[in-house]
Amino acid sequence: MSDVTVAQFAEVLKVPVDRLLAQLTEAGIDVAGADAIISEETKMELLGYLRRSRGEGEGGAADGAPKKITLKRRTQSEIRLAGTQGRARTVNVEIRRKRTYVKRDALEQEAREKQEEVERQRREEEELRLEQERRERAEQEKVEQARLEQERMERERLEQEAARIKAEEDARATEEAERLKGVKRREQGEHERSAEKAPARSRPAAPPARETADDRSTRYGRKELHVTSDISSRRRKKRSTRRGGTVAVDARHGFERPTAPVVREVEIPESIKVSELAQRMAVKGSELIKVLMKLGTMATINQVIDQDTATLVVEEMGHTPKAAQVGGLEAEILANIGESGEMKPRPPVVTIMGHVDHGKTSLLDYIRSTKIAAAEAGGITQHIGAYRIATPGGDIAFLDTPGHEAFTAMRARGAQTTDIVVLVVAADDGVKPQTEEAIQHARAASVPIVVAINKIDKADADPERVRNELVQRGVVPEEWGGENLFVNVSARTGEGVDKLLELLLLQAEMLDLQAPGDGPATGVVIESGLEKGRGAVATVLVTGGVLRQGDILLAGEEYGRVRVMYDAAGKTLKKASASTPVAVLGLSGIPAAGDDAVVLPDERKARELADLRKARSRDTKLAQQQSTRLEDVFSQLDTGVQSVQLLIKADVHGSAEALRDTLTGLGTSEINVKVIASSAGGITESDVNLAAASGATIIGFNVRADGAARDAIKATGVDVRYYSIIYQAVDDLKAAMTGMLAPEIREQIVGLAEVRDVFRSPKFGSVAGCLVVDGHVKRSNPVRVLRDNVVIFEGELDSLRRFKDD
């Protein structure tokens, strides 16, 4: 391009002339104006300046330049088309072209990024594979070490046994050699004496007399005989001689003298079969059964006995019992659970305890701004509730326990899983039996007690009397020199509630409560039940770690994957930290209230542990049933004692447990109350069939029978009682037992008469003329005649007259 003016160059570049002049000035090029001539060198200088100002590299491409450029071109042309009536028409056609140019280094950069991403994924997969192989090698090494340790112990045991056997064999060989020497000397002496007396041909010497066997035996008549080491076959070879045509048989037996009984150390688990115990003691099963019968236990060879009975049997048979270590596999699996994670502060767990109708649930309702107490059956709490409440000073987890006397086990569980106990006492009622029981539970669990004196808004409230009564039970207020915090509250007006929360947070701060913040969760089952549409539901209080949705949870004898978690308000949770109560769905069954809950990394281990616990529990129950079976037989023979059979079904495990303990305790010497089964869940057809077979009455507490069960009830006529309040069930059973008692006959003397004379009547026989000296006499009353304080007649009056008047 030849030299042009600034204006012409601006037109070529499609930029304003002013902007081009400014760029020339910035580049240090002096021009006179738009009409000035610029040369090719000036253009190249301007281009270099522009490149430097935009940060271009040596390659000529700026770092900030686009990686791809799209060029659009438009061309227009005309097409003449033939029209109507011989007229031609023109059509304008616009052709649009678009072409995209991509920088080569951009493509290379994208390819490099993709390759790096693939390489990163490969490295992650390789690391995961190596980690998995490392874990598998560690597991194999652990198993191999256990196997080697077991082989070492077995090898040591075998070496000791071999050394003992060798020593016994050496002793027996020495004794046998001495015995043979003695026998040989006796044979030689007898042979010499017979040779002196007899002629040249004589009968062979008689075989030596068998030594007198030692009749010592074990305490049950079992003689232990040991075969000598020089006998290699079952039959002794006969020695024949041609002298005299007779055959002499070696009459010496191949056994040595009976030794002392072998004393063994027998390892006894919680429950053991009779056959297995006999095998461990190396005795016959019949001998063991005889000993059991002498001890008063009737058992067969395949039945299970408990550890105490087995210990007595082992001691009776002269062996040494050793209690087996319980839960070896369980302790190995749970060894490292709950130890991982950094210790972090956690909210306190507070249990509300006290007598029935003292306002425990009402106080909790005021704190939570709910109305749970109004919906309770009978106005009393019959379940244990768990809530986590946010307060201005921090979160607090509350456990609400029933106050009725039947729920002792629930209150005990609440005290064992808590950090602080709030003892609620009504200011107008004072200390009651369940208040004293709550104090005992708190002391047994070694937890501090905070006393809340409730109902101070009533006219007859006397908080000082409550303080004096509690001081007599050992609960001394802090202002009186004790260590227990007292606060006056009113669940109706809310007075003192804020102070109570402040005291609880202060007490928790002094306790410095901590728990693992991360890692597998641990907890305790507060309550459990069976709900329609949900299945087995367990309320778990997390005590450490974090419980997440999808974790493998082991709770007592049940396990499963956590499908859903709910809080107290019914809100779904993805995870729960320490001191958080949650309702867990997904377990294989209903765990028992109070069972420990723990998260395991492997479902196989959880299933193995659950099966182990179920088998152990089943064996223990069978052993307990067997130990009481003989007593049941004798009780059935006694026809004077009546029995009431009950089958209990409740909504939750805790209520079933409370009903079972309470109703069983109502038995007397004349009427025996026996609960054949108790569980949580609705009444099913199998429950009805069991009750019909055993003649039991079904008690349904907050549950109902399903369709199949109702049909079975109509067919079998089983008596089913439904209750929603526990004391109604107790009162009805007491009334039924009262009706079963035999009538008690009491005599009441209504009159006393003295016989003055006896008359003879041809119609009535002997007639006694009497004078009523006390009370009155009626013809229908029975009469007893006494002579010298001895009864000579007892019956009814045939006739009662005064003169001729009846």
Side-chain angles (χ1 to χ4, degrees), residues 20-30 42 45-50 52:
L20 183 58
L21 289 173
Q23 290 177 348
L24 289 170
T25 305
E26 291 174 358
I29 302 172
D30 295 331
T42 305
E45 187 178 354
L46 176 62
L47 179 60
Y49 165 75
L50 292 177
R52 290 192 301 272

Side-chain angles (χ1 to χ4, degrees), residues 245-509:
T246 60
V247 178
V249 180
D250 189 2
R252 291 176 295 173
H253 62 75
F255 301 97
E256 63 181 10
R257 297 176 182 178
T259 62
V262 179
V263 178
R264 293 179 174 84
E265 187 178 46
V266 183
E267 189 175 12
I268 305 174
E270 287 186 349
S271 57
I272 187 172
K273 279 187 177 182
V274 174
S275 58
E276 185 179 356
L277 183 59
Q279 184 179 4
R280 293 188 181 187
M281 290 191 295
V283 299
K284 292 183 179 180
S286 57
E287 280 189 43
L288 186 57
I289 293 175
K290 290 178 182 178
V291 178
L292 285 171
M293 293 177 66
K294 290 180 181 179
L295 295 176
T297 301
M298 308 294 293
T300 62
I301 193 69
N302 293 322
Q303 284 183 349
V304 179
I305 58 177
D306 56 3
Q307 191 178 47
D308 296 336
T309 305
T311 302
L312 292 175
V313 172
V314 171
E315 291 177 349
E316 184 70 17
M317 299 194 74
H319 298 285
T320 304
K322 177 184 177 183
Q325 184 178 1
V326 181
L329 176 62
E330 183 175 353
E332 181 181 354
I333 295 177
L334 301 178
N336 299 323
I337 299 300
E339 297 180 357
S340 61
E342 181 183 357
M343 301 299 289
K344 296 181 180 179
R346 64 172 178 84
V349 179
V350 179
T351 300
I352 310 293
M353 302 180 73
H355 192 70
V356 65
D357 200 24
H358 275 200
K360 299 182 296 298
T361 306
S362 300
L363 179 61
L364 196 56
D365 281 347
Y366 184 85
I367 299 174
R368 299 179 61 223
S369 300
T370 56
K371 295 183 179 180
I372 297 177
E376 294 282 1
I380 64 173
T381 302
Q382 301 180 111
H383 303 85
I384 187 167
Y387 317 95
R388 180 162 174 169
I389 301 173
T391 64
D395 292 353
I396 302 176
F398 284 97
L399 298 182
D400 186 16
T401 60
H404 194 272
E405 59 182 352
F407 298 97
T408 302
M410 283 192 185
R411 287 190 292 275
R413 281 196 299 272
Q416 291 169 359
T417 58
T418 189
D419 302 318
I420 304 171
V421 168
V422 174
L423 183 63
V424 179
V425 186
D428 60 339
D429 201 10
V431 176
K432 292 297 179 181
Q434 270 59 59
T435 308
E436 298 180 4
E437 182 188 306
I439 295 173
Q440 295 173 1
H441 287 320
R443 287 176 176 170
S446 300
V447 294
I449 300 176
V450 177
V451 180
I453 303 177
N454 194 18
K455 301 182 181 181
I456 62 172
D457 56 324
K458 286 193 172 183
D460 54 347
D462 190 359
E464 293 301 323
R465 179 173 68 91
V466 174
R467 282 180 167 83
N468 292 326
E469 292 178 352
L470 288 175
V471 167
Q472 297 176 4
R473 273 77 177 179
V475 182
V476 183
E478 194 175 36
E479 56 267 22
W480 290 8
E483 56 182 11
N484 299 108
L485 300 175
F486 278 63
V487 59
N488 297 337
V489 298
S490 173
R492 187 181 299 275
T493 63
E495 180 183 354
V497 175
D498 294 337
K499 184 179 179 182
L500 174 63
L501 296 177
E502 292 177 1
L503 291 178
L504 292 177
L505 292 172
L506 177 62
Q507 185 73 48
E509 186 177 355

Side-chain angles (χ1 to χ4, degrees), residues 62-107:
D63 294 339
K67 296 182 179 180
K68 63 179 180 178
I69 300 174
T70 302
L71 300 180
K72 299 180 180 179
R73 294 288 185 268
R74 294 182 182 181
T75 58
Q76 293 183 352
S77 62
E78 294 181 355
I79 300 176
R80 297 181 63 85
L81 299 175
T84 58
Q85 299 178 358
R87 297 178 181 179
R89 62 189 182 92
T90 303
V91 178
N92 295 326
V93 177
E94 183 181 83
I95 300 174
R96 298 178 181 178
R97 294 186 179 92
K98 183 171 70 172
R99 182 172 295 178
T100 302
Y101 297 92
V102 181
K103 291 174 63 176
R104 186 178 301 276
D105 56 351
L107 292 175

Side-chain angles (χ1 to χ4, degrees), residues 165-237:
I165 294 174
K166 186 175 183 305
E168 292 179 356
E169 288 179 354
D170 293 342
R172 285 197 298 269
T174 303
E175 185 179 355
E176 182 68 16
E178 293 294 333
R179 188 181 65 80
L180 290 176
K181 288 181 181 180
V183 171
K184 188 174 181 180
R185 285 196 297 269
R186 286 195 296 272
E187 288 180 350
Q188 187 175 1
E190 291 177 359
H191 180 69
E192 291 176 355
R193 286 194 297 272
S194 60
E196 293 175 357
K197 295 179 182 180
R201 185 170 182 175
S202 61
R203 299 177 61 184
R210 181 179 301 177
E211 293 185 6
T212 304
D214 189 357
D215 292 335
R216 289 182 300 170
S217 62
T218 62
R219 58 196 304 173
Y220 293 101
R222 176 172 57 87
K223 298 181 179 180
E224 297 192 4
L225 302 177
H226 300 272
V227 181
T228 57
S229 58
D230 58 344
I231 297 177
S232 59
S233 62
R234 294 186 180 181
R235 292 187 303 174
R236 301 282 295 179
K237 292 183 179 181

